[in-house]
Amino acid sequence: MTIITILGVTVACLLIARLVRQWGFAGIVRAVAAIPAERMAQGVGFVVLAYLCMAASDLVGLQCLGRRMPVRRVALAAFCSVAIGHNVGLGGLSAGAIRFRFYGAWGLSVIEAGFLVLFAGLTFLLGLVSVAGFAALTELAPMRGHDLALAGLALPAAYLALSIFGKRSVTIWRKTIFVPPLHLALLQIAIGIASVVAIVGALQSLLPRGVAWGSIATAYVAADLTATLSTVPGGWGVLESIVVWLLPGVDPIGALVAFRVVYYVLPLALASVLLTSFEVAQRRPRARRVNFQLSPVQAPVPEPRTALPDSR
């Protein structure tokens, strides 16, 4: 694992150095500064929507477990795990550890927390392949990976078939996990698609005008999958290089750097603060609870006096 991490960091450094040499540091700064403020704000709005969709995925996963939890807790756990997992790399392990830290403190078992990790990853994967397939269907101009994107639609189709004809529940270590019925499976796919569409919308908001939505969607899906398989922390350099390669004739470096900041760096900073605050709160000694009686306290009734025996 250490060797893989070292190789990933090395590849990221080489790719970033290549991009800096190609555009120059000053040129990258000018490209970012040239993005209008309203488009930057629009991109931030799409990023917020994407993270809300990821929290919704955890809520659906909890339904499959037959568990209920306050929305604010689910949103906190989902945001911190996704934001940190995106940047650290090996998202299944890093995001999974953070999810278990939160959900374990709130009463979920290792199996249940692990299921939520797998469920969230599957939700995003279903969204990726679905968006890529729809982009291939709607894109009029031929694009790279067209047939592969169309083939990706087989995954959500197979998942829906499993939800209809498969087993209704699975028991793992005495924990019953419900396989999503059709309505929850459709909701899961819809959430995955919404999250990916929001991410693509953020990138499109930052890119120069005139780039087709289908091309941006295909480039992002290919870049995200490549970055995940490469195990490069945060996909640094990998995501940018793939998007540059798949969008020829476009100058995307300013948009990619801005996208890196609003989708990766800023959420990472906020998630780090929230996670630190959570850990401090967990280690704080609990105050002693004092039970106050709301009804007035009645005075004790004196015991009746017994008559003294007659001394005569």
Side-chain angles (χ1 to χ4, degrees):
M1 191 66 66
T2 304
I3 297 177
I4 295 176
T5 303
I6 294 174
L7 289 176
V9 172
T10 303
V11 171
C13 292
L14 292 174
L15 291 174
I16 293 172
R18 178 188 175 189
L19 292 173
V20 172
R21 285 197 307 269
Q22 184 176 354
W23 273 275
F25 183 77
I28 293 175
V29 173
R30 286 194 299 269
V32 174
I35 300 175
E38 62 273 11
R39 287 170 57 188
M40 187 73 74
Q42 185 179 5
V44 172
F46 275 119
V47 169
V48 172
L49 178 59
Y51 277 96
L52 289 176
C53 290
M54 297 168 193
S57 172
D58 276 25
L59 288 173
V60 177
L62 286 169
Q63 289 189 33
C64 295
L65 291 172
R67 302 294 293 263
R68 292 183 179 274
M69 195 169 291
V71 175
R72 66 181 185 277
R73 287 187 172 184
V74 178
L76 174 64
F79 172 74
C80 290
S81 60
V82 172
I84 296 176
H86 276 350
N87 287 273
V88 173
L90 298 174
L93 295 177
S94 56
I98 295 171
R99 268 191 175 89
F100 177 72
R101 181 67 188 97
F102 282 105
Y103 289 126
W106 297 329
L108 267 64
S109 66
V110 176
I111 297 299
E112 291 171 324
F115 170 79
L116 289 179
V117 173
L118 294 176
F119 191 86
L122 180 59
T123 300
F124 194 68
L125 178 60
L126 289 169
L128 282 175
V129 296
S130 298
V131 168
F134 294 147
L137 289 174
T138 58
E139 185 67 21
L140 298 179
M143 59 184 182
R144 297 167 179 171
H146 180 275
D147 296 335
L148 184 60
L150 286 177
L153 291 175
L155 178 60
Y159 187 69
L160 291 176
L162 178 63
S163 69
I164 297 173
F165 304 107
K167 295 177 63 177
R168 292 273 62 85
S169 64
V170 177
T171 301
I172 303 176
W173 288 358
R174 299 181 181 179
K175 292 293 181 180
T176 301
I177 297 173
F178 296 97
V179 177
L182 181 59
H183 70 283
L184 286 183
L186 288 171
L187 181 59
Q188 181 184 7
I189 294 174
I191 291 172
I193 292 175
S195 63
V196 176
V197 167
I199 297 170
V200 174
L203 185 56
Q204 186 179 30
S205 300
L206 301 171
L207 282 169
R209 299 294 186 186
V211 185
W213 183 89
S215 298
I216 300 174
T218 305
Y220 170 74
V221 170
D224 187 86
L225 291 174
T226 304
T228 301
L229 294 175
S230 68
T231 69
V232 173
W236 282 88
V238 177
L239 186 143
E240 290 81 359
S241 299
I242 296 297
V243 172
V244 168
W245 177 60
L246 291 177
L247 294 179
V250 181
D251 188 8
I253 191 62
L256 290 172
V257 173
F259 177 77
R260 172 69 64 179
V261 172
V262 299
Y263 183 65
Y264 287 89
V265 178
L266 292 181
L268 173 63
L270 179 57
S272 300
V273 173
L274 293 174
L275 180 59
T276 302
S277 301
F278 175 80
E279 291 294 343
V280 171
Q282 289 295 111
R283 285 166 172 74
R284 186 179 302 161
R286 298 180 182 272
R288 293 182 179 179
R289 296 181 179 178
V290 181
N291 294 325
F292 296 96
Q293 296 182 359
L294 299 180
S295 58
V297 179
Q298 298 179 354
V301 178
E303 297 181 358
R305 295 179 179 179
T306 58
L308 296 176
D310 191 354
S311 58
R312 290 178 298 173

